[in-house]
């Protein structure tokens, strides 16, 4: 059986759930939390960072668009904007700081100590940024509104 997982679920799997639960109890992060766990809050904030979301609407909409695949991340449902806002205001930020340092220590322990890290195979990166074209610089990119037959630009112009 071939098991495929999204990059996001693989990243979430790197975090130790037992250590996370210990930090939640240590900081009292679940106090007054009704139905929205600290793990759900963490996954939503991690999604916010990776998706470069600028608003609560983007976070909640992005998580809601996964169509039931949130169970693989340990979440029941996508959070509502008001719930996420309340959690951001009332949950202790120190818990997330401690989680960062715990994860950093784990990564430093696993990372190779000698030499410079290199990939064995050729590494390709894709850039998905949008480049706005200017019509004065690129006259061939002229936008046409009609759906009828379009004549190609004349060779003389």
């Amino acid at each position: 059986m071939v098991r495929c997982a999204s990059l996001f679920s693989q990243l979430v799997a790197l975090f130790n759930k037992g250590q996370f639960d210990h930090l939640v109890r240590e900081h009292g992060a679940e106090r007054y939390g009704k139905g929205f766990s600290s793990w759900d809050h963490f996954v939503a904030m991690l999604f916010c960072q990776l998706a470069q979301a600028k608003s609560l609407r983007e976070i909640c909409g992005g998580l809601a668009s996964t169509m039931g695949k949130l169970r693989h991340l340990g979440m029941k449902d996508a959070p509502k904007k008001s719930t996420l806002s309340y959690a951001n205001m009332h949950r202790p930020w120190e818990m997330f700081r401690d989680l960062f340092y715990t994860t950093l220590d784990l990564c430093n322990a696993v990372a190779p100590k000698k030499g410079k890290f290199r990939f064995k195979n050729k590494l390709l990166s894709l850039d998905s940024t949008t480049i706005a074209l200017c019509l004065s610089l690129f006259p061939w990119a002229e936008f046409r509104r009609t759906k009828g037959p379009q004549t190609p630009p004349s060779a003389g112009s």
Side-chain angles (χ1 to χ4, degrees):
M1 178 170 99
V2 177
R3 300 184 90 197
C4 297
S6 68
L7 287 175
F8 187 62
S9 65
Q10 290 176 39
L11 181 65
V12 170
L14 292 175
F15 292 92
N16 186 339
K17 190 80 161 58
Q19 182 66 30
F20 184 87
D21 291 337
H22 172 73
L23 289 172
V24 167
R25 284 190 304 277
E26 182 180 313
H27 290 282
E30 291 285 323
R31 193 172 352 151
Y32 308 120
K34 297 178 182 169
F36 187 62
S37 70
S38 293
W39 182 257
D40 294 347
H41 187 204
F42 169 67
V43 171
M45 292 295 99
L46 188 62
F47 176 81
C48 169
Q49 288 295 313
L50 293 176
Q52 296 179 354
K54 304 282 189 262
S55 67
L56 293 174
R57 183 177 307 224
E58 287 182 60
I59 299 167
C60 298
L63 286 171
S65 70
T66 59
M67 296 184 289
K69 296 178 183 169
L70 292 175
R71 292 242 180 240
H72 302 290
L73 302 174
M75 295 179 73
K76 296 175 191 164
D77 295 316
K80 306 291 185 229
K81 291 180 289 190
S82 59
T83 304
L84 193 54
S85 174
Y86 184 85
N88 284 339
M89 288 174 46
H90 294 93
R91 291 245 164 98
W93 60 268
E94 294 88 0
M95 182 194 70
F96 295 109
R97 178 198 58 202
D98 292 347
L99 178 65
F100 169 77
Y101 284 117
T102 303
T103 307
L104 181 63
D105 291 342
L106 175 72
C107 292
N108 285 335
V110 174
K113 303 285 189 257
K114 295 180 182 178
K116 190 175 181 181
F117 177 75
R118 294 180 185 260
F119 287 100
K120 293 179 182 176
N121 299 325
K122 185 177 180 181
L123 181 65
L124 303 173
S125 66
L126 300 174
D127 185 11
S128 64
T129 56
T130 304
I131 301 171
L133 298 176
C134 177
L135 188 57
S136 63
L137 295 175
F138 303 100
W140 50 266
E142 184 177 338
F143 177 74
R144 299 173 198 258
R145 289 192 163 203
T146 61
K147 289 188 177 183
Q150 299 176 1
T151 59
S154 63
S157 56

